[in-house]
Amino acid sequence: PSDTGRVLSIQSHTVQGYVGNKSAIFPLQLLGFDVDPINSVQFSNHTGYPTFRGQVLNGQQLWDLVEGLEENELLHYTHLLTGYIGSVSFLDTVLQVVEKLRSVNPDLVYVCDPVLGDEGKLYVPQELISVYQQKVVPVASMLTPNQFEVELLTGLRITSEQDGLTACNTLHSAGPRKVVITSALIEGKLLLIGSHKKSKEQPPEQFKIEIPKIPAYFTGTGDLTTALLLGWSNKYPDNLDTAAELAVSSLQALLRRTVEDYKRAGFDPSTSSLEIRLIQSQDDIRNPTVTCKAVKY
Ligand code: ATP
Ligand code: PLP
Ligand code: MG
Ligand code: NA
Ligand code: MG
């Protein structure tokens, strides 16, 4: 047994570039975790490019892999991490996986990034929303939606910080003790809002981190954020604000490096979707300098 943990990570794989498992495995390994990836899809590149090709794993194939692990008594995990899931049947199988892993380790932490869409655009089938609401949110330990996803899951519009906090409370009452709205544009500011419900009796501890907005569009950063939140909140289980400061600060250093590298190569970073400089940022992941501080509510 390791003092950090063993993560089963069910996410996308791309041959080129860093989204899904490609952006989660390396940082978790750097933070000392054993990571066992299951690739929910294998695509040539992320779906923001003009074309992509590859294969999609179905629910039965996912279950087959889990049964293989079970046959050999290899199902002991401390954490389950899930990201983009494209169909109801796959999501239903993920729910069976949660149950199975908890039958082996009742303390399993399930970190769920409920990927539904962004900036008003849904990128999964509509039917997934109610499955997340009714079945997935109740079993998640930590949930990392963005602003649009919080709105879809709670039915609340998030236009103020108070709206964000109220939505976190709604999500807590449905299940997860930790909720992090990983990005929300509120009154012109880019915010991360975190909420930790430590006990039934007390109100949650809530905080925000203001993030300096970089004029560029990145892919893989949501997946990286959730992975870093898993990693740091395992080290600081009672200080979600500290975990989020470390995650956001790593991200900022990495994004600055990414933009600088594109500029140096003669590209205008504001004009296209940028591939993150993940490997080159390993020191910022292992040993972040906290540049973005949390403010408690
Ligand atoms: P999901 O992937 O679940 O939809 P998300 O929409 O929050 O989550 P991103 O929009 O990639 O994912 O944001 C995640 C984090 O990445 C933010 O908290 C921020 O730290 C960083 N980030 C992404 N884009 C920028 C940007 N243009 N400027 C500054 N930080 C950014
Ligand atoms: N997974 C796949 C296969 C993708 O193509 C993309 C984005 O294009 C993502 C995940 C999204 O990554 P993120 O939300 O972290 O930017
Ligand atoms: Mg986003
Ligand atoms: Na998110
Ligand atoms: Mg995303």
Side-chain angles (χ1 to χ4, degrees):
S2 76
D3 59 357
T4 45
R6 177 175 289 272
V7 184
L8 183 66
S9 179
I10 306 176
Q11 300 199 65
S12 316
H13 169 79
T14 52
V15 176
Q16 196 278 337
Y18 298 97
V19 300
N21 267 335
K22 281 285 290 290
S23 66
I25 297 167
F26 178 70
L28 284 169
Q29 289 173 333
L30 285 177
L31 296 181
F33 290 82
D34 285 300
V35 186
D36 293 357
I38 291 181
N39 298 327
S40 53
V41 305
Q42 170 168 245
F43 290 160
S44 51
N45 45 265
H46 73 64
T47 54
Y49 284 90
T51 69
F52 64 94
R53 298 203 194 203
Q55 299 84 37
V56 178
L57 196 74
N58 64 38
Q60 188 51 53
Q61 291 165 327
L62 167 61
W63 194 246
D64 197 41
L65 292 170
V66 170
E67 288 193 316
L69 293 169
E70 187 179 29
E71 281 164 15
N72 297 291
E73 294 181 36
L74 298 173
L75 271 187
H76 193 93
Y77 289 99
T78 57
H79 295 78
L80 171 67
L81 170 60
T82 65
Y84 174 85
I85 290 167
S87 70
V88 170
S89 67
F90 198 88
L91 188 52
D92 276 331
T93 310
V94 165
L95 284 159
Q96 287 177 255
V97 175
V98 176
E99 204 176 281
K100 176 72 79 184
L101 295 182
R102 287 207 168 126
S103 74
V104 178
N105 175 17
D107 297 327
L108 174 95
V109 173
Y110 174 26
V111 177
C112 174
D113 187 0
V115 179
L116 297 167
D118 210 346
E119 295 170 14
K121 261 198 8 229
L122 196 67
Y123 27 73
V124 297
Q126 175 91 34
E127 310 87 79
L128 251 70
I129 301 171
S130 64
V131 182
Y132 272 106
Q133 284 172 327
Q134 286 160 29
K135 300 196 210 163
V136 183
V137 170
V139 298
S141 315
M142 173 154 75
L143 202 70
T144 61
N146 62 31
Q147 183 172 14
F148 181 54
E149 289 157 351
V150 175
E151 293 183 339
L152 292 169
L153 292 172
T154 63
L156 303 167
R157 282 277 290 147
I158 314 295
T159 59
S160 67
E161 293 178 32
Q162 187 53 57
D163 293 340
L165 298 174
T166 303
C168 289
N169 292 339
T170 303
L171 290 168
H172 286 312
S173 55
R177 289 199 166 204
K178 292 180 183 174
V179 175
V180 179
I181 304 176
T182 50
S183 66
L185 200 55
I186 291 171
E187 289 152 2
K189 291 181 189 155
L190 181 60
L191 301 179
L192 175 148
I193 292 175
S195 185
H196 186 185
K197 179 93 176 152
K198 289 187 170 172
S199 72
K200 276 216 166 64
E201 299 74 38
Q202 290 162 293
E205 294 181 10
Q206 301 186 308
F207 64 90
K208 65 174 169 180
I209 300 178
E210 191 176 335
I211 300 164
K213 179 126 176 77
I214 298 167
Y217 189 81
F218 306 94
T219 45
T221 42
D223 304 323
L224 176 55
T225 302
T226 300
L228 293 173
L229 286 169
L230 185 163
W232 288 115
S233 64
N234 188 56
K235 191 159 166 62
Y236 298 101
D238 297 323
N239 301 87
L240 188 58
D241 51 350
T242 301
E245 283 176 347
L246 289 160
V248 168
S249 298
S250 286
L251 240 314
Q252 290 313 296
L254 171 146
L255 295 182
R256 293 226 176 81
R257 175 175 293 100
T258 300
V259 166
E260 285 313 310
D261 282 2
Y262 272 87
K263 279 188 188 157
R264 201 167 330 117
F267 288 95
D268 177 356
S270 65
T271 57
S272 69
S273 162
L274 309 189
E275 289 283 3
I276 55 176
R277 292 288 184 260
L278 184 64
I279 309 301
Q280 297 78 354
S281 303
Q282 55 185 286
D283 293 340
D284 299 315
I285 293 166
R286 240 192 307 247
N287 264 316
T289 306
V290 172
T291 52
C292 301
K293 292 293 284 180
V295 177
K296 291 192 169 89
Y297 285 106

